[in-house]
Amino acid sequence: MTRVEQSCYQCEFPIPIRENQSARLSLTLKTSPYKYEMLIDGFTKIYRNYLLLLDENERDKLTGLLNRKTLEERMEFCFDFSSANETDEDGAWIVILDIDHFKRINDQHGHMIGDEILLLFSQYMQCNFSSPKQLFRFGGEEFLIIFPPSKKDPVIKEVEGFRSYISNTQFPQIDGLTFSAGVCSFHRHDLLTTILDKADKALYYAKEHGRNKVSVYEELLEAGKLVEDDFGDDGVELF
Protein backbone atom coordinates (compact mmCIF):
# COMPACT_ATOMS: atom_id res chain seq x y z
CA MET A 1 0.00 0.00 0.00
CA THR A 2 1.37 3.41 -0.99
CA ARG A 3 -0.04 6.88 -0.30
CA VAL A 4 1.30 10.41 -0.69
CA GLU A 5 1.44 12.67 2.39
CA GLN A 6 3.06 16.12 2.31
CA SER A 7 5.30 15.28 -0.66
CA CYS A 8 6.36 11.96 0.93
CA TYR A 9 5.42 8.43 0.00
CA GLN A 10 4.19 6.29 2.90
CA CYS A 11 4.63 2.64 1.91
CA GLU A 12 3.66 -0.58 3.68
CA PHE A 13 4.66 -4.05 2.50
CA PRO A 14 3.14 -7.18 4.14
CA ILE A 15 5.57 -10.00 4.99
CA PRO A 16 3.95 -13.42 5.56
CA ILE A 17 5.66 -15.50 8.27
CA ARG A 18 3.29 -18.34 9.17
CA GLU A 19 -0.29 -19.19 8.27
CA ASN A 20 -1.66 -16.95 11.02
CA GLN A 21 1.31 -14.63 11.50
CA SER A 22 2.76 -11.79 9.44
CA ALA A 23 4.95 -8.70 9.71
CA ARG A 24 5.02 -5.39 7.90
CA LEU A 25 7.77 -3.23 6.43
CA SER A 26 6.94 0.49 6.59
CA LEU A 27 8.90 3.07 4.58
CA THR A 28 8.76 6.83 4.19
CA LEU A 29 10.31 7.95 0.89
CA LYS A 30 10.75 11.36 -0.75
CA THR A 31 10.58 9.84 -4.22
CA SER A 32 8.37 7.22 -5.82
CA PRO A 33 8.93 3.70 -4.39
CA TYR A 34 8.73 2.22 -7.87
CA LYS A 35 12.31 3.37 -8.47
CA TYR A 36 13.43 1.08 -5.63
CA GLU A 37 11.19 -1.89 -6.35
CA MET A 38 14.00 -4.47 -6.59
CA LEU A 39 15.80 -3.08 -3.52
CA ILE A 40 12.62 -3.12 -1.42
CA ASP A 41 11.83 -6.66 -2.59
CA GLY A 42 15.30 -7.75 -1.49
CA PHE A 43 14.89 -6.13 1.93
CA THR A 44 11.52 -7.81 2.52
CA LYS A 45 12.97 -11.24 1.63
CA ILE A 46 15.95 -10.76 3.96
CA TYR A 47 13.68 -9.56 6.77
CA ARG A 48 11.29 -12.49 6.24
CA ASN A 49 14.16 -15.00 6.44
CA TYR A 50 15.38 -13.35 9.65
CA LEU A 51 11.90 -13.50 11.23
CA LEU A 52 11.50 -17.15 10.18
CA LEU A 53 14.77 -18.03 11.92
CA LEU A 54 13.64 -16.28 15.09
CA ASP A 55 10.25 -17.97 14.95
CA GLU A 56 11.70 -21.45 14.40
CA ASN A 57 14.06 -20.95 17.34
CA GLU A 58 11.09 -20.19 19.60
CA ARG A 59 8.89 -23.09 18.49
CA ASP A 60 8.63 -26.72 19.47
CA LYS A 61 9.50 -28.82 16.42
CA LEU A 62 6.63 -31.31 16.77
CA THR A 63 3.68 -29.14 17.77
CA GLY A 64 4.62 -25.64 16.60
CA LEU A 65 3.77 -24.25 20.03
CA LEU A 66 6.20 -21.96 21.83
CA ASN A 67 9.03 -23.80 23.53
CA ARG A 68 10.20 -23.71 27.14
CA LYS A 69 13.20 -21.40 26.65
CA THR A 70 10.91 -18.52 25.59
CA LEU A 71 8.78 -18.79 28.73
CA GLU A 72 10.29 -16.09 30.96
CA GLU A 73 10.25 -13.43 28.24
CA ARG A 74 6.68 -14.30 27.29
CA MET A 75 5.52 -14.09 30.90
CA GLU A 76 6.72 -10.48 31.02
CA PHE A 77 5.13 -9.83 27.64
CA CYS A 78 1.67 -10.97 28.84
CA PHE A 79 1.28 -7.90 31.07
CA ASP A 80 1.09 -5.73 27.96
CA PHE A 81 -2.37 -7.21 27.37
CA SER A 82 -3.97 -6.07 30.63
CA SER A 83 -7.48 -4.81 29.98
CA ALA A 84 -8.78 -1.51 31.25
CA ASN A 85 -10.96 -3.40 33.74
CA GLU A 86 -8.03 -5.04 35.51
CA THR A 87 -6.18 -3.60 38.48
CA ASP A 88 -2.63 -4.01 39.74
CA GLU A 89 -3.97 -6.61 42.18
CA ASP A 90 -5.15 -8.86 39.33
CA GLY A 91 -2.40 -11.30 38.52
CA ALA A 92 -1.67 -13.09 35.31
CA TRP A 93 -2.22 -16.86 35.32
CA ILE A 94 -0.12 -19.85 34.44
CA VAL A 95 -1.56 -23.30 33.78
CA ILE A 96 0.49 -26.49 33.52
CA LEU A 97 -1.37 -29.31 31.75
CA ASP A 98 -0.15 -32.89 31.88
CA ILE A 99 -1.73 -35.66 29.79
CA ASP A 100 -2.84 -38.47 32.08
CA HIS A 101 -1.19 -41.89 31.66
CA PHE A 102 0.74 -40.82 28.58
CA LYS A 103 3.50 -43.37 29.20
CA ARG A 104 0.86 -46.06 28.91
CA ILE A 105 -0.07 -44.74 25.45
CA ASN A 106 3.55 -44.92 24.28
CA ASP A 107 4.02 -48.38 25.79
CA GLN A 108 0.84 -49.84 24.30
CA HIS A 109 0.68 -48.08 20.93
CA GLY A 110 4.21 -46.87 20.19
CA HIS A 111 5.81 -43.46 19.93
CA MET A 112 4.33 -42.67 16.50
CA ILE A 113 0.82 -42.80 17.96
CA GLY A 114 2.09 -40.92 21.01
CA ASP A 115 3.43 -38.13 18.79
CA GLU A 116 0.13 -38.03 16.90
CA ILE A 117 -1.73 -37.59 20.20
CA LEU A 118 0.61 -34.75 21.21
CA LEU A 119 0.12 -33.04 17.86
CA LEU A 120 -3.67 -33.33 18.00
CA PHE A 121 -3.72 -32.14 21.61
CA SER A 122 -1.70 -29.05 20.68
CA GLN A 123 -4.01 -28.33 17.74
CA TYR A 124 -7.05 -28.54 20.01
CA MET A 125 -5.31 -26.14 22.39
CA GLN A 126 -4.84 -23.64 19.58
CA CYS A 127 -8.51 -23.95 18.60
CA ASN A 128 -9.75 -23.49 22.16
CA PHE A 129 -7.42 -20.74 23.45
CA SER A 130 -7.20 -17.63 21.31
CA SER A 131 -4.74 -14.74 21.54
CA PRO A 132 -3.53 -13.15 23.81
CA LYS A 133 -3.20 -16.46 25.66
CA GLN A 134 0.19 -17.96 24.96
CA LEU A 135 0.61 -21.70 24.44
CA PHE A 136 3.73 -23.77 25.10
CA ARG A 137 4.87 -27.33 24.89
CA PHE A 138 6.67 -27.52 28.20
CA GLY A 139 8.33 -30.88 27.58
CA GLY A 140 7.18 -34.44 26.94
CA GLU A 141 3.44 -34.63 27.56
CA GLU A 142 3.36 -31.35 29.54
CA PHE A 143 1.90 -28.17 28.09
CA LEU A 144 1.57 -24.69 29.51
CA ILE A 145 -0.74 -21.73 29.03
CA ILE A 146 -0.15 -18.12 30.07
CA PHE A 147 -3.24 -15.97 30.56
CA PRO A 148 -2.85 -12.17 30.73
CA PRO A 149 -3.94 -10.40 33.96
CA SER A 150 -7.59 -11.13 34.72
CA LYS A 151 -9.98 -12.35 37.39
CA LYS A 152 -9.68 -15.99 38.43
CA ASP A 153 -13.14 -17.28 37.53
CA PRO A 154 -13.00 -16.71 33.74
CA VAL A 155 -9.59 -18.40 33.60
CA ILE A 156 -10.76 -21.48 35.51
CA LYS A 157 -13.96 -21.66 33.47
CA GLU A 158 -11.95 -21.68 30.24
CA VAL A 159 -9.51 -24.35 31.44
CA GLU A 160 -12.36 -26.50 32.78
CA GLY A 161 -14.12 -26.13 29.44
CA PHE A 162 -11.04 -27.43 27.65
CA ARG A 163 -10.67 -30.30 30.14
CA SER A 164 -14.27 -31.34 29.44
CA TYR A 165 -13.75 -30.99 25.69
CA ILE A 166 -10.67 -33.25 25.68
CA SER A 167 -12.29 -35.89 27.89
CA ASN A 168 -15.21 -36.08 25.42
CA THR A 169 -13.09 -36.11 22.25
CA GLN A 170 -12.26 -39.34 20.44
CA PHE A 171 -8.55 -39.67 19.67
CA PRO A 172 -7.25 -42.23 17.14
CA GLN A 173 -6.12 -45.66 18.37
CA ILE A 174 -6.85 -45.02 22.07
CA ASP A 175 -9.96 -45.43 24.21
CA GLY A 176 -9.93 -41.92 25.66
CA LEU A 177 -7.73 -39.07 26.80
CA THR A 178 -7.74 -36.78 29.82
CA PHE A 179 -5.36 -34.31 31.38
CA SER A 180 -4.72 -32.85 34.82
CA ALA A 181 -3.86 -29.19 35.37
CA GLY A 182 -2.29 -26.98 38.01
CA VAL A 183 -3.09 -23.26 38.04
CA CYS A 184 -1.59 -20.32 39.91
CA SER A 185 -1.51 -16.54 39.59
CA PHE A 186 1.62 -14.43 39.28
CA HIS A 187 2.67 -10.79 39.06
CA ARG A 188 5.25 -9.01 36.98
CA HIS A 189 8.22 -9.34 39.33
CA ASP A 190 7.59 -12.86 40.66
CA LEU A 191 10.41 -15.34 40.12
CA LEU A 192 9.87 -17.91 37.38
CA THR A 193 11.04 -20.79 39.60
CA THR A 194 8.53 -19.83 42.31
CA ILE A 195 5.66 -19.55 39.84
CA LEU A 196 6.39 -22.91 38.24
CA ASP A 197 6.80 -24.54 41.65
CA LYS A 198 3.34 -23.37 42.74
CA ALA A 199 1.67 -24.49 39.51
CA ASP A 200 3.48 -27.82 39.71
CA LYS A 201 2.29 -28.42 43.27
CA ALA A 202 -1.29 -27.79 42.19
CA LEU A 203 -0.79 -30.18 39.25
CA TYR A 204 0.67 -32.81 41.58
CA TYR A 205 -2.36 -32.49 43.83
CA ALA A 206 -4.72 -33.02 40.86
CA LYS A 207 -2.75 -36.11 39.82
CA GLU A 208 -2.87 -37.55 43.34
CA HIS A 209 -6.62 -36.99 43.64
CA GLY A 210 -8.00 -38.87 40.67
CA ARG A 211 -6.59 -37.06 37.61
CA ASN A 212 -8.77 -35.36 34.96
CA LYS A 213 -8.95 -32.39 37.35
CA VAL A 214 -8.01 -28.71 37.46
CA SER A 215 -6.45 -27.64 40.78
CA VAL A 216 -5.80 -24.02 41.75
CA TYR A 217 -2.83 -23.31 43.99
CA GLU A 218 -4.44 -20.41 45.86
CA GLU A 219 -7.60 -22.43 46.58
CA LEU A 220 -5.60 -25.38 47.89
CA LEU A 221 -3.58 -23.08 50.11
CA GLU A 222 -6.72 -21.42 51.50
CA ALA A 223 -8.31 -24.82 52.15
CA GLY A 224 -5.23 -26.00 54.04
CA LYS A 225 -4.43 -28.72 51.50
CA LEU A 226 -1.13 -27.08 50.73
CA VAL A 227 0.88 -25.65 53.61
CA GLU A 228 3.24 -22.70 53.25
CA ASP A 229 6.09 -22.75 55.79
CA ASP A 230 7.82 -19.80 57.48
CA PHE A 231 10.42 -19.51 54.72
CA GLY A 232 7.89 -19.12 51.95
CA ASP A 233 8.42 -22.65 50.64
CA ASP A 234 5.41 -24.87 50.22
CA GLY A 235 5.08 -28.32 51.65
CA VAL A 236 2.42 -30.56 50.18
CA GLU A 237 -0.02 -32.23 52.51
CA LEU A 238 -2.46 -34.59 50.85
CA PHE A 239 -5.80 -35.21 52.55
Side-chain angles (χ1 to χ4, degrees):
M1 181 181 70
T2 303
R3 63 182 187 273
V4 181
E5 292 184 359
Q6 297 179 347
S7 301
C8 290
Y9 293 84
Q10 301 290 334
C11 312
E12 294 183 353
F13 302 91
I15 304 174
I17 307 300
R18 293 164 61 91
E19 183 178 345
N20 59 351
Q21 184 181 6
S22 63
R24 182 175 60 189
L25 176 65
S26 298
L27 297 174
T28 301
L29 301 172
K30 292 184 177 180
T31 58
S32 171
Y34 298 107
K35 295 173 59 177
Y36 308 104
E37 188 172 348
M38 290 184 63
L39 183 61
I40 292 170
D41 184 60
F43 271 125
T44 57
K45 288 177 179 177
I46 292 170
Y47 188 44
R48 181 176 185 272
N49 289 338
Y50 171 70
L51 291 175
L52 281 170
L53 285 173
L54 287 179
D55 187 68
E56 288 176 4
N57 192 47
E58 292 182 338
R59 300 277 169 183
D60 174 64
K61 302 302 181 186
L62 175 65
T63 64
L65 301 183
L66 292 165
N67 59 32
R68 184 169 183 159
K69 64 184 177 183
T70 65
L71 181 56
E72 190 163 10
E73 177 186 348
R74 294 284 178 156
M75 289 173 70
E76 179 73 19
F77 179 68
C78 82
F79 287 94
D80 295 337
F81 292 96
S82 302
S83 73
N85 296 324
E86 311 308 334
T87 69
D88 290 340
E89 295 181 358
D90 293 319
W93 296 87
I94 196 163
V95 185
I96 299 179
L97 303 83
D98 186 275
I99 296 176
D100 295 327
H101 301 299
F102 187 73
K103 184 179 183 301
R104 185 184 302 170
I105 295 173
N106 277 335
D107 291 344
Q108 292 180 355
H109 303 282
H111 288 275
M112 286 187 65
I113 296 299
D115 284 351
E116 184 177 359
I117 298 300
L118 294 174
L119 184 57
L120 285 171
F121 188 85
S122 68
Q123 290 173 346
Y124 289 140
M125 284 181 69
Q126 292 176 83
C127 291
N128 278 267
F129 299 101
S130 59
S131 179
K133 293 102 179 176
Q134 300 177 83
L135 310 178
F136 300 77
R137 184 182 178 197
F138 200 49
E141 69 272 23
E142 278 195 340
F143 295 81
L144 189 145
I145 308 170
I146 295 177
F147 286 78
S150 65
K151 306 296 184 185
K152 179 184 71 174
D153 289 348
V155 172
I156 304 308
K157 182 178 180 181
E158 198 164 344
V159 178
E160 281 285 5
F162 183 59
R163 183 199 59 75
S164 177
Y165 174 81
I166 290 297
S167 66
N168 288 288
T169 296
Q170 181 62 52
F171 285 78
Q173 305 293 328
I174 63 174
D175 294 333
L177 192 76
T178 63
F179 70 84
S180 303
V183 184
C184 79
S185 66
F186 67 94
H187 294 81
R188 189 183 294 271
H189 300 296
D190 289 346
L191 293 175
L192 175 60
T193 52
T194 302
I195 298 164
L196 293 178
D197 184 61
K198 290 178 179 179
D200 199 55
K201 283 183 168 63
L203 171 63
Y204 177 77
Y205 187 90
K207 288 283 190 183
E208 290 293 313
H209 287 76
R211 294 183 168 84
N212 193 21
K213 295 178 181 295
V214 177
S215 294
V216 184
Y217 175 81
E218 287 78 7
E219 292 179 355
L220 294 172
L221 203 64
E222 186 177 354
K225 297 183 178 175
L226 294 180
V227 179
E228 190 173 58
D229 64 28
D230 294 337
F231 299 98
D233 296 325
D234 306 307
V236 180
E237 287 190 7
L238 305 180
F239 295 86

